[in-house]
Amino acid sequence: MWMTHIVAFCLLALAASAEEKKLSSHAATLADSSATLAFRLYHSMAKEKDTENILISPVVVASSLGMVALGGKSSTASQVKTVLSVDKLKDEHLHAGLSELLSEVSDAKTRNTTWKISSRLYGPSSVTFADDFVKNSKKHYNYDHSKINLRDKRSAVNSINEWAAKATDGKLPEITKDVQNPDGAMIVNAMYWKPHWDETFNDKMVDDRSFLVTRSFSVGIPMMHRTGLYDFHDDTENRIFVLNMPLGQKQASLIIIMPYLLEPLARLEKLLSRKQVDTWISKMENKAVAISLPKIAMEVSHNLQKHLAELGLTEAVDKSKADLSNISGKKDLYLSNVFHASALELDVQGNPFDNSIYGSGKLSNPKLFYADHPFIFLVKDNKTNSILYIGRVVKPKGDKIRDEL
């Protein structure tokens, strides 16, 4: 009898451990608000004519905003909640919820995807960081802190770039060539993200192709190919393909949104909204798709200071108005730069594919998804419904090629 009880107890323990832990209501609220932030921030950045590739992590941006709220007082802190559309959330729920969300989506063991996130707050050499702020920003947001002589720009830039390169195992060798406003505090996010496909590409099916940047200019890149069953939608009205590619253990997906043919992304970006993406996803059907996808590495760095100000974070970035006195105990800091940098790699690696599908007829007459021209993408977390990344590929690295189009 005792053996029966032990077996039953073990089975119950296994069932309990297998059951997914649900997000708290505060973390779920912040997952939702960070997804809304993704589109607002993307549109702000897309308006800059000289911006080519875009790569931002709304979850990491939200966490950095939480750190600003932690260091701020009065309206400087409350503006963070306005930007995140969570005005009614209590401070302790804001920090605990953002901490829980970031911890959940970046857990490499359960996600089976490489995502290294390092964040640092730089202060001028005159600052003294308050002990409580250092402790709590490390606890909630995994931020570390460093003093830097920003008036010696060359040394400061070298120091920042060296830290980012080390934090990403050399994947981000340079995130900035300059620092503006050397008398403020500076946020730096340095990330490296590499998906692990739910079904691998065959590394022998990679060849050199052209990526069409414009009608008169293209670059040579390696392209990887595979045919499989994917959720797919053909928006014939807007002449747009939407593809969902599961990652890791299907806990997240890479969603690619691409015009039928080469064109500037402005038309697609006018359509781009959270509601529209949800509509496209709801219309997807699982079908055979022959995919050709760039095998690329991107390093993209943005200074988000003015974009966050445009979204409502006006006080923290204004030297005359900022109250970040929780950082140092003095009202002597403002947010002078917000560097948000990521290295992204799209490679062939993934889980073994199901060979039994070949010869079953399920892959006959596949839809063609040939990503040889600019597209928008999202990395969507399927458990939290947050957006881990949103961006666009306009000009991947490659040898320049002149086209005759």
Side-chain angles (χ1 to χ4, degrees), residues 260-316:
Y260 283 179
L261 303 171
L262 171 65
E263 64 174 88
L265 288 177
R267 180 181 70 85
L268 173 53
E269 286 170 339
K270 286 181 180 179
L271 295 171
L272 188 67
S273 68
R274 188 175 179 184
K275 182 178 180 181
Q276 181 61 69
V277 170
D278 287 343
T279 298
W280 280 325
I281 291 173
S282 70
K283 293 182 177 180
M284 283 183 166
E285 296 179 1
N286 193 254
K287 58 181 60 180
V289 185
I291 298 171
S292 293
L293 194 67
K295 180 178 180 290
I296 55 173
M298 292 169 53
E299 298 92 39
V300 185
S301 182
H302 306 288
N303 191 340
L304 300 182
Q305 188 212 37
K306 68 178 181 179
H307 299 294
L308 293 173
E310 185 177 296
L311 299 187
L313 195 76
T314 57
E315 286 197 14

Side-chain angles (χ1 to χ4, degrees), residues 37 41 56-66 84 189 304 308 340:
L37 174 68
L41 190 53
I56 48 177
S57 171
V59 171
V60 173
V61 173
S63 297
S64 294
L65 288 171
L84 290 173
N189 303 133
L304 300 182
L308 293 173
H340 186 81

